[in-house]
Amino acid sequence: MEDDVHIRNGIYEIVTAARGDAVRYTDILFTYLNLFSSMDDIFTRLLTMASYIGQRFSKFIEDLVLRDLRRYSSDVAVNSPEQHPRSWRQSISGSFSEGCSSSKPYIEGACSRIGERRAHDTLEELILHTRSDVVNTNNSKASLFIFQGLSLPLFGLRVAWRLAMFSWRFSFSYIRCAQVHLCSITTRLQKTLRGSSDDIGWLQHTPGMPPVEDGTARFLELLAEIRNGEHTLPNSFVYLLIPGLFSNHGPLYFVGTKRFFSKMGLACHIAKIHSESSVEHNAWELKQYVEELYWGSGKPVMLLGHSKGGVDAAAALSIYWSDLKDKVAGLALVQSPYGGTPLASDILREGQIADKETRRIMELLICKLIKGDMRALEDLTYEKRKEFIMKYKLPDQIPLISFHSEASITPGVIATMSHIAHAELPWLPLVKFISEEELGRQVPIVIPLSAAMAVCALHLQLRYGEKSDGLVACRDAEVPGSVVVRPNRKLDHAWMVYSSPRRNPTDPDACEMCEALLTLLVEIGRFKQQTNGNSQQVIRT
């Protein structure tokens, strides 16, 4: 007869074969050892549990540094055997009971031979099992207590580390921001102090620009003849005077010159354009104006532009030369910032100190008070002039004259600045002192422009070491390929428009200056025609 015994817990399997009715002593001993093997399995489980707790302790120390205390505590609460003591004990006791029930036939046979000794040993094993359970439970409580005790200093160390890192990062970020701010201020300061030092006279340094020719001597000869009563300006042209910036608010702009030409029987007009508009806009208006004059009179037009008016006229010829080449006989630029002006660039330069505040002030003055366009001033900066000239160049066939002068900076001229304090201011909404009828009127003011130009010229002289008429540097007024006129008199930027009532009667006035410039322009045009005619004859021959 063969008996097969299988342990239900799946750990051990014992097969015992008994032949006959008698049970041999070896079988009883084997059964007895099998019982002790089940007890060894319990201790193995206990050792495994202790090793697991040790591993969890090491894992806890690692997680304590990297995780939050609350998250770790929840993990301990879930994984600790103390939270489920009853189920833990039941699992162990169940395995023990299961092992005993599976070995019941052999235990009954063995008990008949070993008697009370087996029962006494089994009782001792149960007592030992219970004590180990209690000791394990106490050790778990002690371990958890130690864990909680260690967590406080480690948590404090973690908080201190985070505070130190935050303080370091904040200090570094603050130092970095301060450094960036200081570098920005330094860059702005350097750009402000540098100003237009690298831009003044850029036309003379640009490769590919045609050279200029000095025509001052011939201009002075023609001026002397005009003062002696010799007027040779022909009546075969229509003379168009183009005013400069803010001319819409100057009712006397070019009025004296127009009257002077009309008395000589010459057809003279003042271009009625919005001078506070952009250069390209005024160029289109001048094109329309020239075409109307040409088709109305059948005569070519001679252009004389002052200040921004010369820039507008040059832009009209550069952009629309294909339409105006047979209608325009020449162009004289009088004190025109063809290359740009340092005053406009210094006011509107981006990246300098208080650039945004300065721009808002200019927008208030030009756009709100004068009802103009901010581009009118922007187009006179070096940046815009470089961009325009590189895109649109003046034709070589057109006769050109560049006239520039130098303002007087003597103390006597500058002292007249005190007269501005007695000037009347226009358009102030003083309701208490001005009636409703006078609120809509423009009150004329009288300002000594010569004194203002003298101060500006002194500023440009001290800052850049450049000679100017107060607004335009002499080098920026010389148009490449033109005949340059440099008078030997001290004339500011406003002298050509508003002559001083205290002038020396022996000196020529603005009207005679304009006549001499246009007479020289006519001579240059005739010389170019003869040169072109001779060159064409040479080509034909």
Side-chain angles (χ1 to χ4, degrees):
M1 179 178 180
E2 295 182 358
D3 296 327
D4 295 334
V5 179
H6 299 278
I7 305 300
R8 292 181 181 179
N9 56 8
I11 302 176
Y12 297 98
E13 179 178 358
I14 303 173
V15 180
T16 307
R19 296 178 181 179
D21 296 332
V23 180
R24 290 182 297 180
Y25 178 76
T26 56
D27 295 334
I28 298 173
L29 182 60
F30 181 78
T31 303
Y32 183 75
L33 292 175
N34 188 24
L35 180 62
F36 276 94
S37 177
S38 299
M39 299 302 296
D40 291 339
D41 182 59
I42 294 174
F43 285 112
T44 300
R45 289 174 177 270
L46 293 176
L47 291 176
T48 302
M49 183 64 68
S51 177
Y52 174 75
I53 293 174
Q55 292 178 1
R56 292 299 299 174
F57 175 75
S58 300
K59 191 66 170 60
F60 173 79
I61 296 300
E62 295 177 0
D63 293 344
L64 188 62
V65 179
L66 302 176
R67 301 179 183 178
D68 191 75
L69 180 61
R70 183 176 299 175
R71 181 180 178 183
Y72 175 76
S73 299
S74 62
D75 293 340
V76 173
V78 172
N79 298 325
S80 178
E82 185 182 358
Q83 303 296 332
H84 306 283
R86 182 176 299 178
S87 61
W88 186 62
R89 292 193 187 100
Q90 288 176 357
S91 63
I92 298 177
S93 62
S95 62
F96 175 75
S97 301
E98 188 177 10
C100 292
S101 61
S102 63
S103 305
K104 185 176 181 181
Y106 299 96
I107 294 176
E108 289 178 354
C111 287
S112 62
R113 292 173 178 83
I114 63 178
E116 296 180 354
R117 180 176 179 81
R118 179 69 185 86
H120 184 268
D121 293 339
T122 303
L123 181 61
E124 288 181 353
E125 293 295 333
L126 292 175
I127 294 173
L128 180 61
H129 175 269
T130 303
R131 288 179 179 178
S132 64
D133 188 13
V134 174
V135 171
N136 190 19
T137 304
N138 293 334
N139 289 336
S140 298
K141 292 182 178 180
S143 299
L144 183 59
F145 179 76
I146 293 173
F147 296 160
Q148 294 177 353
L150 291 175
S151 65
L152 293 177
L154 291 176
F155 179 73
L157 181 62
R158 183 180 179 184
V159 172
W161 174 255
R162 287 186 175 182
L163 289 176
M165 290 300 296
F166 176 77
S167 301
W168 171 255
R169 290 176 181 176
F170 180 78
S171 301
F172 182 78
S173 177
Y174 181 78
I175 294 173
R176 181 63 178 171
C177 292
Q179 183 181 4
V180 172
H181 188 62
L182 182 61
C183 291
S184 177
I185 294 177
T186 304
T187 303
R188 286 177 172 269
L189 183 60
Q190 291 177 352
K191 199 168 187 178
T192 304
L193 295 177
R194 190 66 181 173
S196 303
S197 300
D198 300 330
D199 298 324
I200 298 177
W202 67 274
L203 286 171
Q204 285 76 16
H205 306 122
T206 303
M209 293 293 178
V212 298
E213 182 182 353
D214 190 4
T216 306
R218 180 54 184 166
F219 169 77
L220 295 177
E221 292 177 1
L222 293 174
L223 184 61
E225 293 176 359
I226 291 172
R227 290 188 58 80
N228 292 330
E230 299 179 9
H231 303 283
T232 60
L233 197 61
N235 194 19
S236 57
F237 300 101
V238 176
Y239 301 97
L240 181 62
L241 306 178
I242 307 169
L245 195 62
F246 308 135
S247 60
N248 294 333
H249 304 279
L252 301 180
Y253 211 116
F254 273 144
V255 172
T257 304
K258 181 180 180 301
R259 186 182 299 112
F260 180 78
F261 279 30
S262 298
K263 290 181 179 180
M264 292 187 298
L266 302 176
C268 183
H269 300 272
I270 300 176
K272 301 298 181 181
I273 62 174
H274 191 47
S275 61
E276 289 81 24
S277 298
S278 64
V279 172
E280 293 187 2
H281 179 268
N282 286 344
W284 171 256
E285 288 191 354
L286 286 176
K287 172 184 175 296
Q288 303 292 329
Y289 214 101
V290 169
E291 289 179 344
E292 290 180 3
L293 292 177
Y294 178 78
W295 294 114
S297 62
K299 301 177 182 179
V301 181
M302 282 285 183
L303 304 178
L304 187 148
H306 177 256
S307 188
K308 183 177 178 291
V311 177
D312 295 338
L317 296 179
S318 301
I319 300 174
Y320 308 106
W321 175 244
S322 59
D323 298 328
L324 300 177
K325 61 181 179 179
D326 297 328
K327 304 176 181 66
V328 177
L331 171 62
L333 297 94
V334 180
Q335 298 173 325
S336 297
Y338 184 78
T341 171
L343 293 182
S345 297
D346 293 345
I347 292 174
L348 300 180
R349 181 177 292 107
E350 296 182 357
Q352 63 181 359
I353 296 177
D355 53 349
K356 296 181 180 179
E357 292 78 6
T358 306
R359 186 178 183 85
R360 283 197 293 266
I361 293 174
M362 296 308 299
E363 288 178 352
L364 177 63
L365 294 177
I366 297 177
C367 300
K368 301 298 182 181
L369 188 61
I370 304 177
K371 306 299 181 181
D373 190 351
M374 192 65 186
R375 292 179 298 176
L377 186 61
E378 290 178 350
D379 290 342
L380 299 182
T381 61
Y382 289 110
E383 181 180 1
K384 293 294 184 180
R385 291 307 302 160
K386 290 179 182 179
E387 180 181 351
F388 185 88
I389 292 174
M390 293 304 175
K391 185 177 180 181
Y392 303 105
K393 293 184 178 181
L394 279 171
D396 298 333
Q397 299 86 353
I398 188 72
L400 295 175
I401 289 180
S402 300
F403 177 91
H404 63 78
S405 60
E406 181 182 354
S408 176
I409 56 175
T410 58
V413 178
I414 299 176
T416 58
M417 282 291 291
S418 60
H419 295 172
I420 294 181
H422 304 286
E424 298 179 4
L425 300 178
W427 310 322
L428 289 181
L430 302 177
V431 183
K432 296 182 180 180
F433 305 99
I434 302 177
S435 62
E436 296 181 357
E437 297 179 356
E438 295 179 349
L439 284 176
R441 300 177 182 176
Q442 296 181 0
V443 181
I445 59 174
V446 178
I447 298 177
L449 293 177
S450 298
M453 297 297 105
V455 172
C456 293
L458 179 62
H459 165 73
L460 297 178
Q461 178 70 32
L462 295 177
R463 184 175 184 180
Y464 301 114
E466 291 288 337
K467 297 179 179 180
S468 67
D469 56 13
L471 296 181
V472 181
C474 294
R475 292 196 294 166
D476 294 329
E478 295 185 0
V479 181
S482 65
V483 176
V484 180
V485 176
R486 308 179 182 95
N488 53 5
R489 291 180 54 191
K490 299 290 185 179
L491 303 176
D492 57 59
H493 190 79
W495 183 87
M496 292 293 295
V497 181
Y498 305 106
S499 298
S500 173
R502 300 179 181 178
R503 68 179 182 88
N504 190 347
T506 59
D507 295 332
D509 59 4
C511 302
E512 296 170 344
M513 287 277 193
C514 291
E515 183 182 357
L517 287 174
L518 290 174
T519 304
L520 178 62
L521 186 62
V522 171
E523 290 185 358
I524 296 173
R526 291 174 180 173
F527 177 77
K528 281 199 171 188
Q529 288 180 355
Q530 293 177 359
T531 303
N532 294 333
N534 294 333
S535 62
Q536 291 178 359
Q537 291 179 0
V538 171
I539 293 174
R540 291 175 182 177
T541 57

